[in-house]
Amino acid sequence: RFCSVSGISKNKAMVERLQHFGVITSSKVAEVMETVDRALFVPSGSAPYDDSPMAIGYNATISAPHMHATCLQLLEENLQPGMHALDVGSGM
């Protein structure tokens, strides 16, 4: 884990922490990650803003926020406004 943001209840604060630790270096990636609230993709009652993978049911997990940020930064020059990226893990 790059950072832990336990107790921080806002998506923006999670992104700022990832920027602080150098995980997010792109302003575009920060903007995108601030726009889509991670809490929408995890079970209620969990800690969606912790930088760790978490169980989402069906024996599956959602990756840690730093992994999503890293993938978006690698894709950044190929993604144009209006495009979408779907992050599907391989389970490995």
Side-chain angles (χ1 to χ4, degrees):
R1 278 198 270 197
F2 285 98
C3 62
S4 177
V5 289
S6 295
I8 296 175
S9 62
K10 297 189 184 234
N11 202 60
K12 183 173 177 57
M14 175 193 72
V15 173
E16 289 172 353
R17 293 279 304 204
L18 291 170
Q19 288 176 300
H20 173 78
F21 284 96
V23 177
I24 295 176
T25 58
S26 162
S27 60
K28 278 186 177 179
V29 170
E31 180 183 343
V32 168
M33 288 193 65
E34 286 177 8
T35 301
V36 181
D37 190 347
R38 180 173 164 84
L40 297 171
F41 301 94
V42 299
S44 61
S46 60
Y49 309 109
D50 281 357
D51 188 30
S52 62
M54 70 182 46
I56 56 171
Y58 305 99
N59 204 23
T61 60
I62 184 173
S63 296
H66 77 268
M67 292 301 298
H68 295 291
T70 301
C71 291
L72 286 172
Q73 289 187 160
L74 291 170
L75 288 171
E76 182 178 16
E77 41 185 83
N78 296 308
L79 293 175
Q80 302 301 317
M83 292 177 123
H84 295 84
L86 175 61
D87 182 357
V88 179
S90 68
M92 308 214 83

